[in-house]
Amino acid sequence: MDRLEDVVRERLRFAARSPVRRGVLRELGLGDADLRRLVRRKRLHHHHGHYIDGRVDAHLAVIACAAAAYPGSAVSHFSAARLAGLRVWTDARRSSAPAIDATWLTRPPTAMRNQRRPDIVVRRAGLATGDVSDRDRLSVTSVARTVVDLARELPLREAIITVDHALSLGTPVTELHSVVARQQHWPGIRNARAEIDFGDARSESVLESLARMAFATAGLPAPVLQVQFSDGFGWMPERVDFYWPRFRTVAEADGLAKYEADTPEDRRRRMRRSHRRDQRLADRGVELVHFGWEDAVATHSDLSQRLRAAFIRGTSRTTAAPTWRVAPPTPAQVA
């Protein structure tokens, strides 16, 4: 902005805090050459016919300009989830998978009909006062409204990722049910209600949420999540992902990062720690089943057969069952 007069520069800084159209900036004294130069030097973002201060986060700038292009809209669905830091996941193999990288907006029912384009998805729906909050000068659907919107939009296996994460972050399930009650006749609300009822705040990752869904789909009984065992002197530091007390079986979700490290020595140390941990768990007299991403998402996974075989072995054990408890929340979870 070094070529601009001081008065124009100050007017621009004030005006571009929110998305503005070219005509507004022309009235401030900027020419087309000035605008092109400012965009090129990243002093301004330019998206969807609007300009905004270049100091605004690039992703947020895209969303803000898209929302400005549709007056009266609220940022919603996948875009609102991203702004709130909520996990989302969709199965890329699904032919009708939504455009999660687009900007998603919700407009009042009286607005133009729903539109779908590669970079903006617009939905028409009512927005109650409690459904919308202000974030970074934007109208954004609340966490509870965002979760329910995605639960109506997505199949259970995908929506449960966001439901579990919202619950783990402290979103009261009563707030989710309140949104469901306001949408009781909306498309997809029956699925949303089932997804919320299935949600579990103790599910700590995408893989764990997918695994819970895989267990249920296979007809397995629901496990207890985040369990600690006693070694006879105190509670062991290890927390296991899933435990079936009746079958004395533990299942551990091993993400791709478990053994990743900067050096071979660090990788070996991680593997040794993992093996020792497994031995301590085995000493508690439980069956232990490890599984990974492919086991949870593959159509023809043998995970359920492996677990059923472990159930049989576990119930045949004659030693005393281990003492266990649901692990208390970590300091990060409490915070």
Side-chain angles (χ1 to χ4, degrees):
M1 287 188 259
D2 49 305
R3 297 186 188 179
L4 301 178
E5 296 180 6
D6 289 344
V7 65
V8 175
R9 185 183 299 112
E10 288 304 314
R11 289 173 180 171
L12 175 60
R13 284 174 176 166
F14 180 80
R17 290 184 301 174
S18 298
V20 291
R21 288 193 176 277
R22 170 177 169 273
V24 174
L25 299 182
R26 289 294 301 270
E27 291 177 359
L28 296 180
L30 288 97
D32 288 342
D34 294 321
L35 295 177
R36 288 193 296 269
R37 184 180 71 256
L38 292 172
V39 171
R40 186 172 61 251
R41 295 184 177 181
K42 299 183 179 180
R43 304 290 180 85
L44 288 175
H45 297 290
H46 182 215
H47 304 287
H48 307 299
H50 288 76
Y51 295 85
I52 193 170
D53 195 319
R55 292 170 294 183
V56 174
D57 173 79
H59 179 72
L60 182 60
V62 173
I63 293 176
C65 290
Y70 293 86
S73 63
V75 180
S76 62
H77 294 77
F78 295 99
S79 300
R82 183 167 181 173
L83 292 178
L86 291 172
R87 297 187 193 116
V88 295
W89 178 80
T90 58
D91 191 341
R93 301 170 300 177
R94 185 159 63 90
S95 59
S96 57
I100 65 173
D101 293 327
T103 297
W104 286 65
L105 305 170
T106 294
R107 304 190 76 192
T110 54
M112 294 175 58
R113 296 187 63 83
N114 292 350
Q115 300 174 37
R116 183 182 293 273
R117 44 183 280 186
D119 53 352
I120 300 178
V121 178
V122 179
R123 291 283 187 260
R124 291 189 310 155
L127 290 165
T129 302
D131 287 341
V132 180
S133 59
D134 292 329
R135 181 191 294 268
D136 297 315
R137 299 177 178 270
L138 290 171
S139 293
V140 183
T141 53
S142 66
V143 169
R145 172 62 189 260
T146 300
V147 170
V148 175
D149 281 346
L150 289 175
R152 290 190 298 106
E153 187 83 27
L154 297 172
L156 174 56
R157 188 171 73 152
E158 299 175 13
I160 198 60
I161 307 301
T162 308
V163 173
D164 281 354
H165 194 213
L167 293 174
S168 74
L169 294 177
T171 301
V173 70
T174 52
E175 289 189 11
L176 300 179
H177 285 304
S178 294
V179 177
V180 168
R182 293 196 294 272
Q183 299 181 1
Q184 58 180 323
H185 300 300
W186 292 20
I189 198 62
R190 181 176 297 180
N191 289 340
R193 185 179 293 109
E195 290 156 3
I196 291 166
D197 290 341
F198 189 68
D200 194 321
R202 294 168 298 174
S203 192
E204 296 184 340
S205 68
V206 173
L207 180 53
E208 289 183 24
S209 296
L210 287 172
R212 292 199 311 111
M213 191 69 251
F215 300 154
T217 301
L220 298 176
V224 183
L225 277 65
Q226 313 308 330
V227 164
Q228 277 180 306
F229 294 101
S230 171
D231 62 4
F233 300 96
W235 296 107
M236 298 168 60
E238 291 86 5
R239 294 190 309 162
V240 300
D241 298 326
F242 304 103
Y243 182 52
W244 287 265
R246 175 184 170 190
F247 304 110
R248 295 174 62 168
T249 296
V250 166
E252 289 281 75
D254 295 333
L256 296 176
K258 182 172 183 178
Y259 299 116
E260 289 182 0
D262 294 332
T263 66
E265 291 77 11
D266 286 341
R267 283 194 292 273
R268 285 194 291 269
R269 276 194 289 270
R270 291 193 177 199
M271 292 181 69
R272 284 197 299 272
R273 284 199 300 267
S274 178
H275 294 162
R276 289 169 181 168
R277 180 180 187 276
D278 284 357
Q279 184 60 59
R280 288 192 293 270
L281 291 173
D283 290 343
R284 305 279 69 76
V286 297
E287 294 294 321
L288 182 57
V289 176
H290 285 279
F291 67 91
W293 183 269
E294 293 79 5
D295 299 306
V297 302
T299 305
H300 301 293
S301 168
D302 66 347
L303 178 58
S304 63
Q305 291 92 322
R306 291 168 56 203
L307 285 169
R308 286 192 170 94
F311 291 169
I312 294 172
R313 294 193 302 270
T315 53
S316 67
R317 288 178 177 265
T318 57
T319 56
T323 301
W324 63 277
R325 70 174 183 179
V326 174
T330 64
Q333 291 171 322
V334 173

